[in-house]
Amino acid sequence: GAVVSQHPSWVICKSGTSVKIECRSLDFQATTMFWYRQFPKQSLMLMATSNEGSKATYEQGVEKDKFLINHASLTLSTLTVTSAHPEDSSFYICSAKRGGTYEQYFGPGTRLTVT
Amino acid sequence: AQSVAQPEDQVNVAEGNPLTVKCTYSVSGNPYLFWYVQYPNRGLQFLLKYITGDNLVKGSYGFEAEFNKSQTSFHLKKPSALVSDSALYFCAVSESYGNNRLAFGKGNQVVVIP
C-alpha cells in the first residue's frame, strides 16, 4: 500500500509555455501533499505544502504565481509551471501523507526540461 | 526551524562489510526522523522512521538506525552491505506538530565495492 504516482515521468517544453504535473495517491487518501524540487546531485527542496480543499502554503522564495498548486481531491494534486523558462528545468517530486500519520510517500518524480 | 546534517558526501564500503551513514539533526521540539533511499532518476523510497519508543529502529532491506537524543543523531546502519545498496541516502526530520514538513539532509552517495 501507499503508492504515489506522477504523470508525466518526463516532459520537454518550450520556453514560455506552461506544463502541468499530476501527483496521485493510488491506494490511500492523502490529506496533505508536498511538492519538492531537486537539482542534480542535490537534496530535495520543499516548494509547497497543500491540503485538500485549501490553498497551498509556499516556502519562502517560491513564486506562487509561477508554480500553481491545486489539491482538488484527496487523491490528486497538480503542479503547473507557468511561463516556463530554462532555469525551471529540474526534477520535481511530490509526496503524500495520510491524515494522522507521519511518513510521506514519494512519487517517482517528473523530469522537466525547458528548451 | 528543523535541519539535518549529513557530513559525508560519499561513503565507500566493500561488499559484505558493515555500512554506516551518519546523520545529525536540529529541531526545537520532539523529532520525527526518517531515512529514504533514492536510485537514479527515481523518487524516494522509505526505509525507516523513528517517532517514539525504542531507540533502535529496524527498517526495510536489512537497514536499521539508532536514535541518540543526547548526540542528536540518527545514523543508518546495515551489518553487511550489498552492491545493490549503492544509491543516494537521505536523512530527514520533521517537528512533532503541524503538517510535518520534512527537512532533508544533502544526501550521501553510498558506493558498495564488489
Side-chain angles (χ1 to χ4, degrees), chain A residues 20 25 34 37 41 51 55-56 64 67 79 91 115:
Chain A
K20 180 184 286 187
S25 56
F34 305 84
R37 184 173 180 177
K41 298 184 185 291
N51 292 298
K55 289 185 177 180
K64 60 181 67 176
F67 298 100
L79 167 67
F91 195 50
T115 60

Side-chain angles (χ1 to χ4, degrees), chain A residues 59-106:
Chain A
E59 295 298 302
Q60 192 171 8
V62 177
E63 299 175 59
K64 60 181 67 176
D65 294 331
K66 181 168 186 60
F67 298 100
L68 300 178
I69 291 171
N70 186 298
H71 191 161
S73 75
L74 285 171
T75 59
L76 173 64
S77 176
T78 60
L79 167 67
T80 302
V81 183
T82 63
S83 187
H85 288 99
E87 57 265 31
D88 299 324
S89 299
S90 192
F91 195 50
Y92 292 88
I93 304 175
C94 74
S95 71
K97 187 173 79 70
R98 290 186 181 99
T101 65
Y102 309 104
E103 59 263 39
Q104 296 179 24
Y105 298 96
F106 286 80

Side-chain angles (χ1 to χ4, degrees), chain B residues 53-68:
Chain B
D54 200 352
N55 288 345
L56 184 63
V57 178
K58 294 188 182 296
S60 307
Y61 313 119
F63 284 94
E64 60 186 31
E66 185 164 13
F67 171 63
N68 188 317

